[in-house]
Amino acid sequence: MDSIRYDWRRLEEVAAELFEKVGVSDQHAQTVAQSLVHADLRGIESHGLSRLPIYLSRIEAGVLSLREAPEIVMQDGAAALVDGKNQLGAVIGQTALELAMSLARQTGIGFVGVRHSNHFGSCSFYAEKAMEKGMILLVLSNAPESMAPTGGIRPFFGTNPIAIGIPAGQEAPFLLDMATSVVARGKIALAAKKGEQIPEDWAIDPDGNPTTDPQRALLGSLMPIGGAKGYGLAMFIDILCGLLTGAASGPAVQSLYDNWTHPQNIGHVFLTIDIQRFWPLPVFQSRMDEYIREIKAVPKRAGIEEIMIPGEIERRKMNEQREKGVRLSLAIAEELEQICIKYGVDWNKAKICS
Amino acid sequence: MDSIRYDWRRLEEVAAELFEKVGVSDQHAQTVAQSLVHADLRGIESHGLSRLPIYLSRIEAGVLSLREAPEIVMQDGAAALVDGKNQLGAVIGQTALELAMSLARQTGIGFVGVRHSNHFGSCSFYAEKAMEKGMILLVLSNAPESMAPTGGIRPFFGTNPIAIGIPAGQEAPFLLDMATSVVARGKIALAAKKGEQIPEDWAIDPDGNPTTDPQRALLGSLMPIGGAKGYGLAMFIDILCGLLTGAASGPAVQSLYDNWTHPQNIGHVFLTIDIQRFWPLPVFQSRMDEYIREIKAVPKRAGIEEIMIPGEIERRKMNEQREKGVRLSLAIAEELEQICIKYGVDWNKAKICS
């Protein structure tokens, strides 16, 4: 057994308690806890509670500014700019999302740029919330350097993610949440640990050549999806999240892990579309259902049981894990248990005894 | 010699004259002519005057509605919806772009959905115009079926393009204009004609297996960039351009070539951002210049002379061709000459005698 199941609500409670122990306010602690557990529920371990230890360490090291509140520095029509003031990323993200939804209610569209932010969890957390309100959300974020521009051999861009949520009716909604790199750096680190080779299109070595050796890849750069196309998408996201907002861009975005002196100064963009400006929501939702069914009816390749909609696998996982418990790997569970012992929080209450 | 050079302004005149001959109004003829020649100037032959013959044939066949004007069916805050009324795509695109820029001037952001449109040329035509006005433009369009959803083996989505233009100062602006497929179908058709093999990641055969045989590929489906990520991007674009606007979506989008009875009913989205809501334009432009220079300073792979910004190669091509003349392949030049003879238009006035 290399994983244990936990009750997702209890996990949220435990995580929130831990954040409160290091001085995060009640409400903010809940937001960050929900953001992390949401990723675990969807099976995205890389953005789940595995990040809790580094979040806590950074707070304790004083690299974040818990006492500041995100501030709206510009609001005009459908556009706004939020200065996150180096608060917790999920708290800033939540503020920006709410503002973007409020703008969309007023003008049909909300466009909120964010600067001075931190790692804000998985984008799908925000997409889910927007979809619940009948809105389409597009979220962009820049991230610390890991990808070279096409022709270059040193990391410059982050794996700059793009996420889009579009509500459906009875079918699973459309929820695309993707990095602009072929894979995350973590997958290469895992291959290195296991002594396995990696596919040729994942990364380049420090000389800029494709490599199947994960050790060489870790010294080099991640590859963007679709070659120069992914380079273009990552750069677009960096310009909007970094240059347009006034956040850091390129290699100036600080690492979550290797830097204990400077704020990350990450930038995000939240774009909301109020569907009801175009159609009554139920009309749009049933068109989405019909459309999704058309896609699922496309003839399948041998061995494929069902054509899945972006986000559908994760949604099924979430439903299953809400019911049966969230699986955490033993390594993460043990790390969290140690942290709970340190702060006097009861870890075992989240465990599901089977 | 397999190409001849032509004066780009004269090419615009000749193309406009041809459109007028089949009943297109003066102003509309100029817009479409400019759109086509703009693509040739940038070296994107696939979206240049090579499309003029099919445009003319469709007009003559009465598949387009030249007498209708695009109509704004909804305008509210930052959002609007345009019914293209089956006019020429470039005319509809121009109308939508102007509306999106006008909305952005008022509210900071403009979001214009378009339905009942036709092939509207290359997206970069609109991006250039927005950048001239100090705006960021994101354009999306759906297109006739050519890509299967991941796991499927029949075309459902088009090569649904996404284009983004962001102005710089002295450096070349950022202009990404990409299909969500790995390559255009035309590249596979060309390989088939030449009897060459194609890379394994371009297409799947009718059974859904990767193929290096262009003949099998043409019977199958194009591959999206980044596997399931590109499938997600193509679907997102189809939902916004098709479902949100009320245009056709999926396989209901009609072909430009194989269909002489139904309007294409293509949908687009134009999203404009007024940079000046965030920064004085010169400040943003010099930040862009600095950022672009940082990217160009990244250490290069052996054999790479310069790191290029998306759209930079095409911009250099455009500058060169404006000066020295636009290169058209002999096959296209001969086809256009025959059309000019048919309509009594002087083709030779565009030729540059060297």
Side-chain angles (χ1 to χ4, degrees):
Chain A
M1 193 182 65
D2 56 358
S3 66
I4 314 175
R5 288 205 186 247
Y6 295 86
D7 179 81
W8 70 281
R9 289 179 196 278
R10 292 276 172 80
L11 280 180
E12 281 186 1
E13 282 170 29
V14 168
E17 276 178 60
L18 285 169
F19 282 113
E20 287 176 48
K21 292 281 183 187
V22 296
V24 178
S25 75
D26 197 17
Q27 201 195 329
H28 291 177
Q30 278 180 38
T31 300
V32 190
Q34 282 163 10
S35 145
L36 295 176
V37 174
H38 183 261
D40 280 317
L41 274 169
R42 296 180 81 238
I44 313 297
E45 203 177 66
S46 61
H47 284 64
L49 290 169
S50 67
R51 302 270 182 168
L52 189 140
I54 188 70
Y55 280 18
L56 290 182
S57 301
R58 291 181 73 78
I59 292 168
E60 293 217 297
V63 199
L64 271 74
S65 312
L66 293 189
R67 302 287 155 235
E68 302 267 3
E71 187 192 342
I72 301 171
V73 290
M74 184 277 287
Q75 184 181 339
D76 184 2
L81 182 58
V82 168
D83 187 321
K85 298 289 185 83
N86 197 31
Q87 249 288 0
L88 280 157
V91 170
I92 299 169
Q94 175 71 23
T95 303
L97 172 69
E98 279 167 15
L99 178 57
M101 292 200 293
S102 148
L103 294 177
R105 263 178 230 112
Q106 293 162 48
T107 69
I109 308 294
F111 180 98
V112 177
V114 181
R115 66 185 179 214
H116 296 147
S117 187
N118 284 293
H119 189 272
F120 75 160
S122 91
C123 297
S124 43
F125 178 63
Y126 310 101
E128 292 276 5
K129 284 169 183 264
M131 291 192 292
E132 278 166 22
K133 305 287 184 186
M135 294 217 179
I136 293 173
L137 178 71
L138 184 147
V139 201
L140 310 173
S141 182
N142 63 9
E145 56 181 355
S146 59
M147 283 203 296
T150 299
I153 57 175
R154 294 287 175 276
F156 186 93
F157 305 104
T159 53
N160 301 352
I162 178 169
I164 298 148
I166 308 176
Q170 291 164 351
E171 299 294 329
F174 174 91
L175 205 179
L176 179 68
D177 186 353
M178 56 175 263
T180 43
S181 57
V182 175
V183 292
R185 203 177 161 79
K187 276 209 181 175
I188 298 176
L190 196 65
K193 206 184 259 182
K194 292 186 181 170
E196 292 170 357
Q197 289 206 318
I198 56 169
E200 225 185 19
D201 64 345
W202 283 14
I204 50 175
D205 67 18
D207 301 322
N209 300 312
T211 181
T212 57
D213 176 354
Q215 301 287 2
R216 296 280 294 159
L218 288 172
L219 298 172
S221 299
L222 296 178
M223 281 295 281
I225 55 163
K229 293 184 180 188
Y231 153 43
L233 289 173
M235 182 172 168
F236 150 64
I237 294 169
D238 201 27
I239 295 172
L240 251 63
C241 296
L243 275 69
L244 188 67
T245 68
S249 57
V253 177
Q254 299 295 313
S255 167
L256 181 67
Y257 293 97
D258 304 337
N259 137 64
W260 296 91
T261 48
H262 290 80
Q264 286 197 277
N265 197 5
I266 287 178
H268 321 297
V269 161
F270 289 76
L271 175 76
T272 43
I273 302 167
D274 184 7
I275 293 166
Q276 299 181 72
R277 290 304 207 283
F278 295 84
W279 305 100
L281 193 56
V283 171
F284 181 80
Q285 285 174 312
S286 55
R287 287 210 65 198
M288 277 294 287
D289 284 348
E290 202 182 306
Y291 178 74
I292 288 168
R293 287 167 198 151
E294 275 177 48
I295 292 172
K296 286 184 170 287
V298 169
K300 291 178 288 293
R301 191 173 154 180
I304 299 286
E305 278 190 22
E306 185 179 356
I307 292 175
M308 305 300 276
I309 300 306
E312 191 172 16
I313 292 171
E314 293 81 4
R315 170 156 300 251
R316 290 186 188 177
K317 182 72 136 181
M318 182 163 71
N319 292 339
E320 185 247 349
Q321 296 209 108
R322 276 194 174 140
E323 197 187 317
K324 297 190 186 158
V326 179
R327 263 190 205 290
L328 293 184
S329 73
L330 268 190
I332 291 169
E334 278 164 14
E335 190 179 6
L336 293 173
E337 185 164 17
Q338 288 309 311
I339 291 173
C340 282
I341 290 167
K342 175 179 165 190
Y343 289 105
V345 170
D346 179 12
W347 172 249
N348 287 317
K349 75 172 180 183
K351 199 181 283 181
I352 295 178
C353 301
S354 50
Chain B
M1 193 184 64
D2 55 358
S3 67
I4 314 175
R5 288 207 185 246
Y6 294 87
D7 179 83
W8 69 282
R9 290 179 195 279
R10 292 276 170 80
L11 280 180
E12 281 186 2
E13 282 170 30
V14 169
E17 276 178 58
L18 286 170
F19 283 113
E20 286 178 47
K21 292 281 183 188
V22 295
V24 177
S25 75
D26 196 16
Q27 201 196 329
H28 291 176
Q30 277 180 38
T31 300
V32 190
Q34 283 163 9
S35 147
L36 295 176
V37 174
H38 183 260
D40 280 318
L41 273 169
R42 297 181 80 238
I44 313 298
E45 203 176 66
S46 61
H47 284 64
L49 290 169
S50 66
R51 300 271 182 167
L52 188 140
I54 188 72
Y55 280 18
L56 289 182
S57 302
R58 291 181 73 79
I59 293 168
E60 292 218 298
V63 198
L64 271 74
S65 311
L66 292 189
R67 303 284 155 238
E68 302 267 3
E71 187 192 343
I72 301 170
V73 291
M74 184 277 287
Q75 184 180 340
D76 185 1
L81 182 58
V82 168
D83 187 321
K85 297 290 185 82
N86 197 29
Q87 248 289 0
L88 280 156
V91 170
I92 299 168
Q94 175 71 21
T95 303
L97 172 68
E98 279 167 15
L99 179 56
M101 292 199 293
S102 148
L103 294 177
R105 263 178 232 111
Q106 292 162 48
T107 70
I109 307 295
F111 180 98
V112 177
V114 181
R115 66 185 179 214
H116 296 146
S117 187
N118 284 293
H119 189 271
F120 75 159
S122 92
C123 298
S124 43
F125 178 62
Y126 309 102
E128 291 276 6
K129 285 170 185 262
M131 291 192 292
E132 279 166 22
K133 305 286 184 188
M135 294 217 179
I136 293 173
L137 178 71
L138 185 148
V139 200
L140 309 172
S141 182
N142 64 9
E145 56 181 355
S146 59
M147 284 203 293
T150 298
I153 57 174
R154 294 285 176 275
F156 186 92
F157 305 104
T159 53
N160 301 352
I162 177 169
I164 297 147
I166 307 177
Q170 290 164 351
E171 299 294 329
F174 175 91
L175 207 178
L176 178 69
D177 185 354
M178 56 173 263
T180 42
S181 57
V182 176
V183 292
R185 204 178 160 80
K187 276 210 181 176
I188 298 176
L190 195 65
K193 206 184 256 180
K194 292 186 181 170
E196 292 170 358
Q197 288 206 319
I198 56 169
E200 225 184 20
D201 64 344
W202 282 15
I204 50 174
D205 68 18
D207 300 323
N209 300 312
T211 180
T212 56
D213 176 354
Q215 301 287 2
R216 296 279 295 158
L218 289 172
L219 298 171
S221 299
L222 296 179
M223 281 295 281
I225 55 163
K229 293 184 180 188
Y231 152 45
L233 289 174
M235 183 171 168
F236 152 65
I237 294 170
D238 200 28
I239 295 172
L240 251 62
C241 296
L243 275 69
L244 188 68
T245 68
S249 58
V253 177
Q254 299 295 314
S255 168
L256 181 67
Y257 293 98
D258 304 335
N259 136 64
W260 296 92
T261 47
H262 290 80
Q264 284 197 277
N265 198 5
I266 286 177
H268 322 295
V269 160
F270 289 76
L271 175 76
T272 43
I273 302 168
D274 184 8
I275 293 166
Q276 300 181 70
R277 289 304 206 285
F278 295 84
W279 305 99
L281 193 56
V283 171
F284 181 80
Q285 285 173 313
S286 55
R287 287 209 66 197
M288 277 294 287
D289 285 347
E290 202 182 306
Y291 179 73
I292 288 167
R293 287 168 198 151
E294 275 177 48
I295 292 172
K296 287 185 172 283
V298 169
K300 291 177 287 292
R301 191 173 154 180
I304 299 286
E305 278 191 21
E306 186 180 355
I307 293 176
M308 305 300 276
I309 300 305
E312 192 172 16
I313 292 172
E314 294 80 5
R315 170 156 299 253
R316 290 187 188 175
K317 182 72 137 183
M318 182 164 70
N319 292 338
E320 186 248 348
Q321 296 209 108
R322 277 194 173 141
E323 198 187 317
K324 296 191 187 159
V326 179
R327 264 191 203 288
L328 292 184
S329 74
L330 268 190
I332 291 170
E334 277 164 15
E335 190 178 6
L336 293 173
E337 186 165 18
Q338 288 309 310
I339 291 173
C340 281
I341 290 168
K342 177 179 163 191
Y343 290 106
V345 171
D346 179 13
W347 171 249
N348 287 317
K349 74 173 179 181
K351 200 180 283 181
I352 293 178
C353 301
S354 50

